[in-house]
Amino acid sequence: MVTVIMASALFGLGIALFYYLKVANIPLTQGIENSEEAEKLTKIHGAIARGAMAFLKAEYKYMVYFMAGFAIVIALLIDDPHTPEVNEGIYTAISFLLGCVISIVSGFIGMRIATIGNARTTTAAKNSIADAFSVALNSGAVMGFGLVGLAVLGLGGIYIILDVLLPGIEKHILMEVMAGFGLGGSSIALFGRVSGGIFTKAADVGADLVGKVEQGIPEDDPRNPAVIADNVGDNVGDVAGMGADLFGSCAESTCAALVIGAVAFATNLEALLFPILISAVGIPVSLVTMFTARVKEEKDVAPALKRLLIVATGLSAAAMYFVSMWALPESFEINGEVYTNMDVFLCYLTGAVAGLLVGLLTEYYTSHDFKPVQEVAKASETGAATNIIFGLALGYHSATGSILLLAVSIYMSFTLAGMYGVAVAAIGMLSTLVVGLTIDAYGPVADNAGGIAEMTGMGESVRDRTDVLDSAGNTTAAIGKGFAIGSAILTSLALFSAFLTRADLLDPQAKIMDSINLLDPLVLTGLFVGAMLPFLFSAMTMKSVGKAAFDMIEEVRRQFRTIPGIMEGTAEPDYEKCVSISTEAALREMIPPGILIMGTPLLVGFLFGVPAVAGILAGSLVSGGVLAISSANSGGAWDNAKKYIEKGNLGGKGTETHKAAVVGDTVGDPFKDTSGPALNILIKLSAILSLVFVPFFIQYGGLLIG
């Protein structure tokens, strides 16, 4: 089993390397005969790449300090008194650091390939839409196969390391120590999502409000000082941030299933490592799926991307049936209940299908091909206020279907195999993660390609082709956000169960799992506080975007005012200054939300004990899940309502209707790219942090209640 897992991980990394070389070996200026155009392309591509890597370098400095400090906290505070021969804190800290490192490497790989693939997609668009699509998709594949390969390698590797370092230790303790890996991945995702979201939206808002609304110049116009920062932000938030987020989901859901199933499968290695095997199987299945991606004409792009998700889900389901029958015993017992391998497979299938349906439902509410977004666009005819009202209403309404789908998935998987089934359903939703990440990373590459085409003046035909790629990428990005939020909800629920399971094992006399009562004042108070946290977190992140955007707007206005010749195109704006403003703001503003997420469960657990933490987790999961879906879909709808008008509908560009839609899109930017996606991190990180610190809560928690 371990050999199969590690071989699959290395296979995934090998495929990622293949796609990386395939893209990187394309000459940067291939097909460009005009030397002035080639020089512009090289210059702009270099500016985006330098800005992206400069941000990562600055961000990683903060992360290194955090990693070292928090690893020490884990090592000092986590130790099970029932196992005096082993200090779990030290080994959990090792797992934590490994999760952090792999998440950082994943973000770096994603950023690197995105900044390599963007300009090459632009030059490929000079030839044909098929060539441009191929380059963008291959760039995304590096992220997909590389990240999942690293996740599986990390999970399998930490199991091997701990099994060697802790021979003879009970499997449930070993799995609990492994949960540190998920905590490390999710912690880095917090910084990646929050800081990346602040960076990209500060630049985007500044570029749109001053450039498009005040100056009346097109999007991605090189005269706009914030345009390079905007392109850098696409990579920072939507590639590195999204990658870290989904890496965290993969690690966390796997760790939850490992903890819940450890007691039942203590002597059965195949069954014990089954959760890791699910992700491992997804790698070769995704490679087969990639061969179905074929584009000949512009109208083929969006269907090709959607087809990848559908095919991947079907092939994964077929493969997992045989894997489930092989790896799991025909019947087994968890918490006194007997389940079968078929029950577990059906749980997997429930999660996989629910994930696909949530994604498609998200597309319905965020694509301008459908009525909801067209209604938001129509509302722009009466001004920005009605555009915003309709967008908010759409977001609230859209949460209904997704939550009902997830509720059905939870009920069915729990009925089939208890909370182990819910954990497997969460992993099932992520079983197509390779393909999901591929098409998600494709989006920013295509978006950057369009910006580069505009800035280099390559002509309308190239820009039209990149716009087609970008439009399809916007749709898949929205699907990806729905997919990420849905998996985060199931993952957090599984982690919640693992938290209670571990608390029961550490303190059997307390019977914590049976004693959690909604009418318990500690639990009830925790529920309300937990339900409040996503709103406070959203307020903090939105205000951070607003503050950063204010600085950016002032700088862009200053440059238009003080640098002669910008509007005439005879003088070059100071792009680096705008990149610096976004970087400084992002790194400064990410700290308070991080303290809120990580500090709240630790403080509540120390002061009031496990029941209060349980209330916090349940409250934040329910309210955060709904708020995340509505925020992301509102933002996506506002964005695509603007694009619907820009396609020539309702008067087209330059009209008052278009200006109103631009304002709505600007309001929606932090909804869909900062607060909404970052709520995934809040509900997951709170849960995995609580799971890891259960020994501390059991030993020292409840200070104020005795």
Side-chain angles (χ1 to χ4, degrees):
M1 171 64 78
V2 174
T3 303
V4 170
I5 289 171
M6 300 304 284
S8 179
L10 294 173
F11 180 63
L13 293 174
I15 297 170
L17 178 61
F18 168 78
Y19 279 114
Y20 178 88
L21 294 174
K22 192 173 181 179
V23 174
N25 287 334
I26 300 172
L28 181 62
T29 57
Q30 180 173 286
I32 300 178
E33 298 176 357
N34 186 311
S35 59
E36 184 179 345
E37 195 174 273
E39 185 180 348
K40 280 185 180 179
L41 176 73
T42 303
K43 185 178 180 180
I44 291 167
H45 169 263
I48 295 172
R50 286 193 302 273
M53 291 304 164
F55 172 80
L56 277 191
K57 185 178 178 181
E59 184 183 47
Y60 287 169
K61 285 181 180 178
Y62 280 79
M63 290 181 181
V64 168
Y65 294 132
F66 163 77
M67 287 162 55
F70 206 72
I72 293 171
V73 172
I74 292 172
L76 293 175
L77 297 185
I78 298 175
D79 186 23
D80 185 358
H82 299 99
T83 54
E85 72 281 2
V86 178
N87 187 328
E88 287 88 354
I90 295 173
Y91 298 101
T92 304
I94 294 171
S95 296
F96 167 79
L97 290 172
L98 182 61
C100 289
V101 169
I102 289 182
S103 186
I104 286 173
V105 171
S106 300
F108 177 83
I109 291 172
M111 187 76 82
R112 180 68 178 162
I113 188 60
T115 54
I116 290 175
N118 52 12
R120 289 164 173 83
T121 301
T122 307
T123 55
K126 289 178 71 71
N127 186 39
S128 70
I129 188 74
D131 288 351
F133 174 81
S134 178
V135 175
L137 191 68
N138 290 344
S139 300
V142 178
M143 184 67 167
F145 285 100
L147 187 144
V148 177
L150 284 170
V152 174
L153 185 69
L155 288 162
I158 195 65
Y159 172 80
I160 294 171
I161 293 169
L162 293 175
D163 198 44
V164 172
L165 294 176
L166 300 170
I169 193 171
E170 293 183 46
K171 294 300 184 186
H172 73 88
I173 298 175
L174 183 65
M175 297 301 135
E176 290 162 4
V177 170
M178 280 184 64
F181 181 87
L183 176 59
S186 195
S187 299
I188 298 304
L190 167 66
F191 294 111
R193 258 308 191 190
V194 175
S195 64
I198 294 170
F199 183 108
T200 185
K201 292 305 107 181
D204 200 3
V205 170
D208 282 356
L209 284 184
V210 183
K212 295 169 74 172
V213 177
E214 295 182 8
Q215 298 295 331
I217 59 179
E219 188 172 1
D220 297 315
D221 193 299
R223 293 173 292 178
N224 194 326
V227 70
I228 294 294
D230 189 12
N231 281 277
V232 170
D234 290 335
N235 299 304
V236 167
D238 294 335
V239 178
M242 171 63 85
D245 181 4
L246 289 174
F247 169 83
S249 287
C250 180
E252 289 158 341
S253 59
T254 303
C255 288
L258 289 170
V259 171
I260 296 171
V263 176
F265 305 130
T267 60
N268 187 334
L269 186 61
E270 286 78 13
L272 182 68
L273 299 182
F274 175 75
I276 307 176
L277 188 61
I278 295 176
S279 297
V281 169
I283 293 173
V285 167
S286 297
L287 179 61
V288 175
T289 304
M290 289 292 291
F291 294 125
T292 67
R294 294 288 184 270
V295 165
K296 293 182 179 179
E297 303 175 8
E298 295 182 356
K299 62 183 178 68
D300 298 332
V301 175
L305 293 172
K306 193 187 301 183
R307 185 169 59 248
L308 283 172
L309 278 175
I310 296 171
V311 172
T313 301
L315 291 179
S316 296
M320 282 307 303
Y321 170 78
F322 296 102
V323 171
S324 302
M325 298 303 108
W326 166 68
L328 295 171
E330 189 173 343
S331 65
F332 56 93
E333 183 178 316
I334 298 179
N335 295 329
E337 298 290 335
V338 178
Y339 308 114
T340 69
N341 50 9
M342 178 57 75
D343 292 333
V344 175
F345 167 71
L346 292 174
C347 292
Y348 162 86
L349 189 62
T350 297
V353 172
L356 180 63
L357 292 177
V358 167
L360 295 177
L361 188 62
T362 303
E363 179 193 15
Y364 172 74
Y365 280 104
T366 58
S367 172
H368 53 56
D369 293 332
F370 300 104
K371 184 179 178 181
V373 170
Q374 293 173 10
E375 287 181 340
V376 176
K378 180 71 174 176
S380 304
E381 292 183 325
T382 51
T386 45
N387 170 280
I388 292 169
I389 291 170
F390 269 69
L392 286 172
L394 179 149
Y396 297 148
H397 190 274
S398 69
T400 306
S402 295
I403 292 297
L404 288 175
L405 281 170
L406 292 170
V408 171
S409 176
I410 291 167
Y411 179 83
M412 291 180 63
S413 55
F414 185 88
T415 302
L416 288 165
M419 288 309 302
Y420 184 74
V422 175
V424 170
I427 306 173
M429 192 171 285
L430 293 165
S431 60
T432 57
L433 184 57
V434 173
V435 171
L437 277 168
T438 296
I439 62 176
D440 215 54
Y442 154 95
V445 172
D447 191 6
N448 266 204
I452 293 170
E454 181 75 33
M455 286 184 278
T456 53
M458 285 192 179
E460 288 189 14
S461 63
V462 176
R463 185 63 205 252
D464 288 344
R465 286 168 180 166
T466 58
D467 281 349
V468 170
L469 297 177
D470 183 28
S471 177
N474 284 332
T475 299
T476 56
I479 293 173
K481 287 184 175 69
F483 173 81
I485 295 168
S487 65
I489 292 172
L490 288 187
T491 296
S492 299
L493 183 59
L495 288 168
F496 178 72
S497 176
F499 165 75
L500 295 178
T501 299
R502 192 179 184 193
D504 256 359
L505 290 171
L506 290 171
D507 191 4
Q509 294 182 341
K511 297 182 178 179
I512 293 172
M513 189 160 306
D514 296 330
S515 65
I516 298 295
N517 187 338
L518 287 178
L519 297 181
D520 183 325
L522 283 176
V523 177
L524 190 59
T525 303
L527 277 171
F528 278 96
V529 174
M532 170 271 295
L533 285 179
F535 291 89
L536 178 58
F537 177 82
S538 295
M540 294 170 73
T541 51
M542 282 193 169
K543 191 173 180 179
S544 293
V545 170
K547 290 164 64 177
F550 179 83
D551 294 340
M552 183 66 72
I553 288 168
E554 289 298 305
E555 174 59 24
V556 174
R557 284 173 175 169
R558 183 194 69 78
Q559 292 196 33
F560 275 121
R561 189 173 59 251
T562 61
I563 302 177
I566 283 186
M567 287 299 293
E568 292 77 20
T570 57
E572 186 173 283
D574 186 355
Y575 299 125
E576 291 186 3
K577 179 63 176 177
C578 292
V579 173
S580 175
I581 286 174
S582 272
T583 300
E584 291 171 4
L587 297 177
R588 179 183 69 245
E589 298 294 335
M590 74 177 179
I591 296 174
I595 293 173
L596 175 72
I597 293 179
M598 302 192 74
T600 300
L602 291 177
L603 182 63
V604 169
F606 179 58
L607 296 178
F608 303 104
V610 170
V613 175
I616 290 281
L617 297 181
S620 63
L621 169 59
V622 173
S623 74
V626 177
L627 184 60
I629 293 171
S630 66
S631 296
N633 288 351
S634 284
W638 278 314
D639 185 11
N640 281 320
K642 177 199 69 176
K643 287 182 168 61
Y644 179 74
I645 295 170
E646 290 175 346
K647 283 180 170 292
N649 299 294
L650 303 175
K653 294 182 180 180
T655 61
E656 292 301 315
T657 302
H658 180 235
K659 289 182 179 179
V662 171
V663 173
D665 177 39
T666 305
V667 172
D669 278 337
F671 277 73
K672 71 180 175 69
D673 289 326
T674 307
S675 297
L679 286 169
N680 303 344
I681 312 297
L682 183 148
I683 59 178
K684 291 186 299 183
L685 183 53
S686 299
I688 190 73
L689 183 73
S690 301
L691 171 61
V692 170
F693 277 86
V694 167
F696 172 72
F697 298 152
I698 296 295
Q699 285 184 264
Y700 306 106
L703 180 68
L704 295 185
I705 60 173

